[in-house]
Amino acid sequence: MAQACEGIKVLDFSQGMAGAIATMFLCDNGAEVIKVEPPAGDRDRARPAFLQWARGKKSVVLDLKTSEGVDTAHRLARGADAVLESFRPGVADRLGIGYETLRKLNDSVVYCSITGFGPKGAYRNIKGYDAVVAAKTGRMVGQNCWKRPGPMFDAIPRMSYGAAHLAVQGILAALWAREKTGKGQLVQTSLVQAATVHSLGQWQVMAGTEEQRIKEFETPRPPGTPQDSMPAGYIIVECKDGRWIQMASTTVHIFRNFVNLLGLEGIYEDARFRDIPYTFPSPEERAEFLDAIRAKMIQKTSGEWTELFLKDGNIGGERYETTEEFMRHPQALHNGLVIEVDDPRVGKMKQIGHLATFRETPSRIQGPAPDQGQHTQEVGAELARGGTGWSSPAFAASPNGRINTPLEGVTVLELASYYAAPFGATLLAEMGARVIKIEPPSGDLMRRIPEVFPKTMQGKESIAIDLKTAEGRAVFHRLVERADALMHNFRPGSWERIGLDYDTIRAVNPRLLYLYAGSYGSTGPYSRQPAFHPTLSAITGSGIRMSGKGNPPMDSGQGDPDASLGVATGLMMGLRAGQRTGKGQYMETRMITTGSFDVSDEFLDYAGKPAERLPDAEQHGFHALYRLYDTGRGWLFLACPSDEEWRALCRALERDDLLEDVRFSTGESRLEHDAELIEALETALRERSADEFEKLLLGRDVAAVRADGPSWPTFFLTDPSIGENGLRATTTHPHFGDYHRHGPTVTFSELQTVHGPPAVIGQHTRPIMQELGYDDGEIRALEEQGVVVHDGPWTGG
């Protein structure tokens, strides 16, 4: 069977997780990926995850510091459809493989660049390690550690993973546009842009209130544990067996089911608790209620509670597991999330499966990871013969196509709520797709959360239809006839009742791309269980990793954003497949799958695999050279894992004695003597302030940044680098005026992105229905019957 990315030729100069996962997604879906490695090899080859991230790719060794190496790179670029690199700004140009150079050789090439902080601004040359970006942008402050004050190490490489998705989306959107224009272009994204995806909206600030909101953002958090600020429906509770369960029962009816199961239904007779889980009369009464829940949950084991939740079918809750345990989870196994690869170096190896299900163009692994330079001679011989598959890029362009945005002409129907699915469609709207949100006459429930909903709704149109009526479904089906894609996140069991099942939709429009954006999936033992944002933290192992050795687990906070990225990438893969085949298909993304790739550095197993390294109990970091340090005058995050960086650090600190110490002579010995090295560096890093050390070490090209500066929202609103890179936009909304929001998550050198305001309920109902052929009398009649609503309020009833 054909694959979505079949025929795409990708030249991969990247190193690090972001580029590796981006090209893995493309390769798993049929692209031919040539990974270009320096003579010393990719820096991640020593990591077990490399065997997973590099699967199916070809490896070619080129020394880009020689004219011969650059010449070979140029010859490969002439036939490439896409080039991906992750150098710091200016490095690719100095090596002779920058965008301007390569586009002169191949003006149809799509050239994607992933940076840490963006191509402009004061931080552009800081090494883009995930935790360095997190520390500098304020993402390590604002959460309480378990055992100390100060910033908390972010153990989840969420920004690298997010940038991987954004790169894939940008590449596929630019390739889609190339079919119309015949031209390639520069596509850029960064880890900071990925961070905006992970901000659910709390930094969206009304113009004129910046000073007030910054004071709120920078108000010190009261002492307490990481769980103190969790919503009641997201409580983390200990069970009889000492294991912890993350509740995900935040809606009123699901939370009531949970309370009833505990035998606490009498609580609703108390007037103080009638509005739970959202409202409590006081913090003391909230604590009283949550203590009652804890007292009940401790009476049974986590396994017993899990069985009861599954039997009920409408209670969301998952036990906190390690990533290794999750690989044995019944739903993960049912979904095919764990696959086996025969690797020539380690033997039978369990790896993470595929990002999404594509029924007609299924993903498949093209083979194990290559040895370094395994294909150098093969590729060189092809080039010597004049090339076979790399002689020219593969596409058929319209000669004079003109478009303004990458996805101009694409129509996506969205029937989804919350953040995980809707924001995935928002990312396509940003790239120019016409996204029509179909919501009930009362409006999307998320409209009641003003901190989040504007972000998920921006740039979309709204049509309000009652799909429970035959007349409403008739309107809906007319929309389906004209659409390219449809995405929804209704739980299985409800699709048929409103005519949303795939068979019904396919009968209306066989060419439609139909994406179910699920939590667990459409089939399997957990398919009908509710899941929300923190479910992912529990199930994938990220919550245990985030919390540090020996501590109770905590919400790692990447569930909804990760899922939204998977939805957008799934839709883009589907569009690419439809562009190639002219056919529609059923597709499926799952929150538990998408989030698993965020911990894919540990989602693998083979005989002799090293044990997972967790942060220390005080949540400073993974080891001495990737860790937070208290200088006494501010907190510093240090990242220098390589030998070269280690030597630069010691020389900058004037500590040649550490270089001469046999305990610290190699990477392996430094890890073996990690406690001693931490002690030595804690002493050395007390001699100056965090700001002074940042200036000193960055001057020696050692990644070290202050980690307890302004919080992320304040950084976003005030730091000049955000504006210089175009990552902050101001939008005008007719109901609540001007507000600040994130700018484009991906930029295109030749095309625009879209940043329209969010719509009110049914704001576009009448014009859309007129497009569908309804006259004014028919529209009025349907409005009078309550089947449709036009230009309703912002929140609904």
Side-chain angles (χ1 to χ4, degrees):
M1 299 177 76
Q3 291 186 274
C5 298
E6 196 171 308
I8 298 176
K9 294 164 289 191
V10 182
L11 195 56
D12 180 9
F13 293 102
S14 72
Q15 293 201 45
M17 180 181 181
I21 289 185
T23 51
M24 179 179 73
F25 286 160
L26 295 169
C27 188
D28 283 357
N29 287 280
E32 180 184 358
V33 177
I34 291 183
K35 179 172 180 56
V36 178
E37 299 189 61
D42 188 291
R43 70 178 188 231
D44 281 334
R45 272 197 172 269
R47 299 179 67 183
F50 183 88
L51 299 177
Q52 178 162 268
W53 293 341
R55 66 192 186 195
K57 304 174 187 177
K58 295 179 179 180
S59 171
V60 171
V61 171
L62 297 180
D63 187 348
L64 296 176
K65 296 180 180 179
T66 68
S67 59
E68 181 182 3
V70 173
D71 179 65
T72 302
H74 287 178
R75 294 166 72 192
L76 286 170
R78 285 189 179 97
D81 295 289
V83 171
L84 178 66
E85 54 92 353
S86 60
F87 297 108
R88 284 180 281 176
V91 173
D93 294 325
R94 291 196 295 273
L95 291 172
I97 57 167
Y99 171 62
E100 292 298 335
T101 298
L102 296 192
R103 79 164 180 167
K104 291 176 183 177
L105 303 172
N106 176 2
D107 69 354
S108 65
V109 73
V110 171
Y111 186 107
C112 182
S113 176
I114 303 173
T115 57
F117 291 90
K120 300 177 182 179
Y123 315 130
R124 64 187 181 277
N125 290 321
I126 300 177
K127 293 176 179 177
Y129 290 111
D130 199 278
V132 169
V133 178
K136 187 63 184 174
T137 58
R139 296 189 64 86
M140 290 190 182
V141 299
Q143 295 193 67
N144 290 335
C145 297
W146 279 110
K147 296 182 177 179
R148 62 168 176 82
M152 183 181 73
F153 172 63
D154 189 348
I156 310 302
R158 68 192 79 222
M159 289 178 288
S160 294
Y161 177 51
H165 276 282
L166 297 176
V168 171
Q169 293 159 25
I171 289 170
L172 292 178
L175 290 173
W176 175 277
R178 190 181 72 173
E179 296 290 329
K180 299 183 178 181
T181 67
K183 300 294 184 182
Q185 60 188 300
L186 174 63
V187 175
Q188 294 178 296
T189 191
S190 67
L191 271 65
V192 175
Q193 283 163 288
T196 66
V197 176
H198 279 272
S199 302
L200 299 189
Q202 73 272 19
W203 46 262
Q204 292 190 115
V205 173
M206 305 308 302
T209 68
E210 294 91 343
E211 185 174 345
Q212 171 192 341
R213 293 304 306 278
I214 288 170
K215 287 181 180 178
E216 295 171 7
F217 295 143
E218 300 308 311
T219 299
R221 292 172 64 92
T225 72
Q227 296 178 4
D228 288 345
S229 60
M230 294 289 288
Y234 288 167
I235 185 175
I236 301 173
V237 287
E238 188 175 11
C239 302
K240 187 177 181 180
D241 55 357
R243 301 295 296 266
W244 297 77
I245 284 183
Q246 170 69 67
M247 296 309 304
S249 298
T250 188
T251 64
V252 172
H253 71 283
I254 293 176
F255 190 78
R256 184 180 283 269
N257 288 343
F258 172 49
V259 169
N260 291 345
L261 179 67
L262 296 179
L264 294 173
E265 59 271 21
I267 198 80
Y268 289 100
E269 298 175 7
D270 188 331
R272 296 176 301 162
F273 299 117
R274 284 177 184 164
D275 294 325
I276 59 174
Y278 298 120
T279 305
F280 290 88
S282 69
E284 292 75 19
E285 285 160 315
R286 179 181 185 274
E288 175 189 339
F289 177 69
L290 296 184
D291 283 344
I293 290 179
R294 295 186 183 102
K296 289 287 187 178
M297 293 293 289
I298 198 71
Q299 295 175 16
K300 297 183 188 296
T301 67
S302 59
E304 290 171 328
W305 284 119
T306 298
E307 289 181 10
L308 289 170
F309 295 164
L310 284 170
K311 183 178 179 181
D312 180 277
N314 205 24
I315 297 174
E318 277 286 355
R319 181 171 65 187
Y320 271 90
E321 299 189 333
T322 65
T323 303
E324 181 183 359
E325 288 175 323
F326 176 52
M327 293 175 70
R328 300 189 293 270
H329 191 284
Q331 190 66 36
L333 296 175
H334 174 85
N335 290 342
L337 185 53
V338 182
I339 60 174
E340 191 171 274
V341 174
D342 193 358
D343 186 273
R345 287 140 300 214
V346 300
K348 298 291 184 184
M349 181 179 181
K350 291 181 179 178
Q351 293 191 4
I352 197 167
H354 303 299
L355 177 68
T357 294
F358 304 102
R359 188 173 289 176
E360 303 301 324
T361 56
S363 307
R364 58 178 176 267
I365 293 173
Q366 301 187 40
D371 289 329
Q372 183 183 341
Q374 181 177 330
H375 303 92
T376 302
Q377 290 186 347
E378 172 192 327
V379 171
E382 284 188 21
L383 290 172
R385 292 193 299 268
T388 54
W390 284 76
S391 57
S392 60
F395 72 102
S398 303
N400 297 309
R402 293 181 181 275
I403 53 176
N404 295 314
T405 63
L407 298 183
E408 185 174 310
V410 174
T411 298
V412 179
L413 305 182
E414 175 198 308
L415 297 93
S417 190
Y418 301 102
Y419 186 97
F423 192 69
T426 302
L427 292 171
L428 268 67
E430 184 181 285
M431 294 188 290
R434 182 187 189 188
V435 178
I436 299 174
K437 183 177 184 67
I438 300 169
E439 53 187 324
S442 58
D444 188 325
L445 287 172
M446 285 295 286
R447 286 183 176 275
R448 295 162 178 78
I449 305 180
E451 298 85 4
V452 177
F453 187 76
K455 183 178 180 182
T456 67
M457 189 63 195
Q458 60 203 19
K460 301 177 183 178
E461 299 173 42
S462 170
I463 181 171
I465 309 173
D466 185 354
L467 294 179
K468 296 178 182 178
T469 66
E471 296 85 354
R473 290 192 292 275
V475 177
F476 170 52
H477 287 168
R478 287 203 200 181
L479 277 168
V480 169
E481 288 173 356
R482 292 160 172 78
D484 298 291
L486 178 151
M487 181 273 292
H488 77 88
N489 66 347
F490 289 88
R491 271 194 284 164
S494 62
W495 307 357
E496 293 80 5
R497 291 198 300 270
I498 56 174
L500 190 56
D501 58 288
Y502 178 60
D503 288 341
T504 299
I505 297 300
R506 182 178 57 179
V508 177
N509 182 354
R511 295 180 299 99
L512 188 81
L513 299 164
Y514 177 106
L515 176 67
Y516 169 50
S519 296
Y520 290 100
S522 59
T523 62
Y526 284 69
S527 61
R528 298 190 179 223
Q529 292 299 113
F532 292 92
H533 178 56
T535 302
L536 196 70
S537 175
I539 198 172
T540 63
S542 58
I544 288 177
R545 182 193 296 199
M546 191 79 177
S547 62
K549 292 179 183 177
N551 292 324
M554 61 191 301
D555 176 23
S556 55
Q558 88 271 23
D560 282 354
D562 279 359
S564 71
L565 289 163
V567 167
T569 300
L571 285 168
M572 288 306 308
M573 290 280 186
L575 287 170
R576 171 71 188 181
Q579 190 179 50
R580 291 190 65 248
T581 67
K583 299 178 181 179
Q585 64 175 312
Y586 176 88
M587 309 181 298
E588 186 169 311
T589 60
R590 309 169 187 98
M591 178 188 281
I592 68 167
T593 297
T594 311
S596 299
F597 284 89
D598 219 339
V599 290
S600 59
D601 55 343
E602 292 294 338
F603 196 106
L604 53 109
D605 194 24
Y606 56 85
K609 174 188 173 291
E612 180 177 0
R613 179 176 286 272
L614 296 175
D616 62 290
E618 293 195 344
Q619 298 167 283
H620 291 100
F622 285 133
H623 54 76
L625 299 180
Y626 202 76
R627 186 183 191 275
L628 285 160
Y629 286 93
D630 182 3
T631 70
R633 288 170 288 172
W635 286 81
L636 186 79
F637 186 83
L638 173 69
C640 54
S642 72
D643 287 340
E644 181 182 1
E645 292 164 318
W646 161 244
R647 290 191 291 270
L649 171 68
C650 292
R651 288 167 184 152
L653 297 178
E654 299 180 354
R655 292 295 304 270
D656 287 350
D657 60 306
L658 296 177
L659 283 176
E660 297 165 1
D661 193 320
V662 67
R663 296 174 300 171
F664 311 135
S665 59
T666 67
E668 292 77 10
S669 63
R670 289 192 288 273
L671 286 176
E672 184 179 348
H673 298 280
D674 192 53
E676 298 105 301
L677 183 53
I678 289 172
E679 184 178 359
L681 290 177
E682 283 180 329
T683 300
L685 294 173
R686 280 273 178 172
E687 296 178 0
R688 305 183 188 207
S689 70
D691 289 328
E692 290 170 327
F693 273 122
E694 177 179 309
K695 183 177 181 180
L696 170 68
L697 295 176
L698 289 180
R700 304 294 182 89
D701 205 24
V702 175
V705 297
R706 183 164 186 171
D708 62 342
S711 66
W712 163 246
T714 298
F715 181 91
F716 179 84
L717 284 171
T718 63
D719 195 276
S721 71
I722 294 292
E724 289 166 340
N725 285 292
L727 305 187
R728 183 174 57 243
T730 300
T731 301
T732 300
H733 191 276
H735 281 251
F736 43 81
D738 293 346
Y739 69 97
H740 302 299
R741 48 150 290 196
H742 74 81
T745 53
V746 183
T747 60
F748 302 85
S749 61
E750 307 302 318
L751 297 169
Q752 303 170 9
T753 52
V754 178
H755 308 289
V760 299
I761 299 170
Q763 182 172 329
H764 305 92
T765 297
R766 288 179 187 168
I768 290 174
M769 292 184 70
Q770 288 167 351
E771 284 183 53
L772 298 177
Y774 288 91
D775 62 35
D776 290 345
E778 291 172 315
I779 296 172
R780 239 185 343 264
L782 290 172
E783 288 178 359
E784 290 170 358
Q785 296 170 41
V787 174
V788 299
V789 169
H790 173 69
D791 208 14
W794 172 248
T795 58

